[in-house]
C-alpha cells in the first residue's frame, strides 16, 4: 500500500489490525501528518514513513524521533515539502518525486516490497 497525506494516516491507523492471511503487506506513507495524533499504533507489517523537512503545525524532528526504533517502522525525513509527490501541489518537487519513484521501483525489483 502507498498512501499520501490523509492516505498515509489512514494506513497508519489500521496498521495494527489489518491482517491479510494470503499475502504479506508492506506499506509506504508519505507526509502523514495525522500520525502524530495516534502514536500508540504498533504496526504488524513493515511500514515506511516518509516525512517532509517541516510541517506547519508540529515538529517533524520530534515526531520522527518518537517513531524511530519501533518494530516494523522505517521512518525518514526528506528535504522536500508536504505534497512534493503530487504534481498538482504547489509543493511538487520533480527531483524529490523521481527520487522516491526510483526508490519504490528498486524496492519492487529487489522484492523488498511486494506488489500484488
Amino acid at each position: 500500500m502507498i498512501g499520501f497525506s490523509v492516505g498515509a494516516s489512514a494506513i497508519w491507523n489500521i496498521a495494527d489490525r489489518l491482517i491479510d492471511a494470503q499475502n504479506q503487506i508492506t506499506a509506504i506513507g508519505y507526509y502523514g501528518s495525522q500520525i502524530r495524533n495516534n502514536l500508540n499504533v504498533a504496526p504488524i507489517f513493515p511500514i515506511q514513513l516518509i516525512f517532509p523537512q517541516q510541517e506547519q503545525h508540529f515538529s517533524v524532528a520530534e515526531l520522527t524521533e518518537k517513531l524511530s526504533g519501533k518494530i516494523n517502522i522505517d521512518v525518514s525525513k526528506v528535504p522536500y515539502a508536504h505534497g512534493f509527490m503530487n504534481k498538482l501541489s504547489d509543493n511538487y518537487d520533480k527531483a524529490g518525486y523521481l527520487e522516491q519513484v526510483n526508490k519504490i521501483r528498486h524496492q519492487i525489483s529487489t522484492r523488498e516490497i511486494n506488489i500484488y
Side-chain angles (χ1 to χ4, degrees):
M1 294 182 283
I2 300 177
F4 302 89
S5 196
V6 171
S9 297
I11 292 170
W12 174 258
N13 285 329
I14 61 168
D16 59 354
R17 56 197 140 147
L18 182 65
I19 297 173
D20 183 341
Q22 301 272 322
N23 301 306
Q24 179 182 354
I25 298 169
T26 55
I28 303 173
Y30 289 92
Y31 34 86
S33 60
Q34 293 302 310
I35 290 170
R36 73 186 192 278
N37 296 320
N38 195 8
L39 294 176
N40 59 344
V41 170
I44 59 174
F45 54 83
I47 184 168
Q48 296 175 47
L49 300 173
I50 294 105
F51 290 98
Q53 62 186 357
Q54 67 181 31
E55 289 279 6
Q56 185 176 3
H57 300 292
F58 66 95
S59 167
V60 172
E62 195 175 298
L63 177 58
T64 57
E65 185 178 323
K66 288 178 182 177
L67 294 169
S68 292
K70 292 189 175 189
I71 296 172
N72 284 329
I73 301 173
D74 177 16
V75 63
S76 60
K77 188 170 80 167
V78 294
Y80 310 110
H82 186 114
F84 76 94
M85 293 286 289
N86 181 348
K87 291 180 180 180
L88 299 177
S89 170
D90 289 342
N91 291 328
Y92 172 69
D93 187 289
K94 185 176 182 178
Y97 171 84
L98 292 173
E99 171 189 292
Q100 292 299 309
V101 167
N102 288 332
K103 180 180 172 183
I104 293 167
R105 285 182 179 146
H106 174 76
Q107 290 174 322
I108 291 169
S109 71
T110 59
R111 306 300 265 166
E112 291 176 37
I113 61 173
N114 299 314
I115 244 330
Y116 298 99

